Amino acid sequence: MIEIALQMTAVLAVLLGTAFSMLGVLGYVRLPDVYTRLHAVGKVGVFGAVLLLLGAVAWTPLGLGKGLVLIALLLLAGPVTAHALASAAYRVG
């Protein structure tokens, strides 16, 4: 019974992560300037990757520690990377 719940959680997380990632790509393609594109990719892309990792962790619980470390690193590095790219774009013009 618990295995079925974990599998359903994994499938739901993968579907939501894929949807978030697709929204990030759509925002990157459709938005007009570098700052709005960076906002779409920086926010939505990180959440999509985190949800995909949550799905992987729920599907294979043996990688729980590694998955949680990767999620923490993504949540820490995502905003820093977006800020660095925005700062470089502002300096370049």
Side-chain angles (χ1 to χ4, degrees):
M1 188 70 173
I2 293 175
E3 292 178 17
I4 294 172
L6 284 175
Q7 288 176 354
M8 293 302 290
T9 303
V11 168
L12 183 65
V14 167
L15 289 175
L16 283 173
T18 303
F20 271 104
S21 296
M22 287 176 57
L23 282 173
V25 170
L26 182 67
Y28 180 73
V29 171
R30 295 282 297 161
L31 292 174
D33 62 345
V34 67
Y35 302 111
T36 55
R37 288 179 182 173
L38 190 59
H39 181 73
V41 173
K43 300 287 184 191
V44 178
V46 169
F47 288 130
V50 165
L51 283 170
L52 288 171
L53 274 171
L54 281 176
V57 166
W59 191 266
T60 58
L62 294 176
L64 179 67
K66 293 176 185 177
L68 293 178
V69 168
L70 285 173
I71 288 170
L73 289 174
L74 270 173
L75 289 175
L76 289 173
V80 174
T81 305
H83 178 74
L85 288 171
S87 178
Y90 179 74
R91 287 184 186 152
V92 170

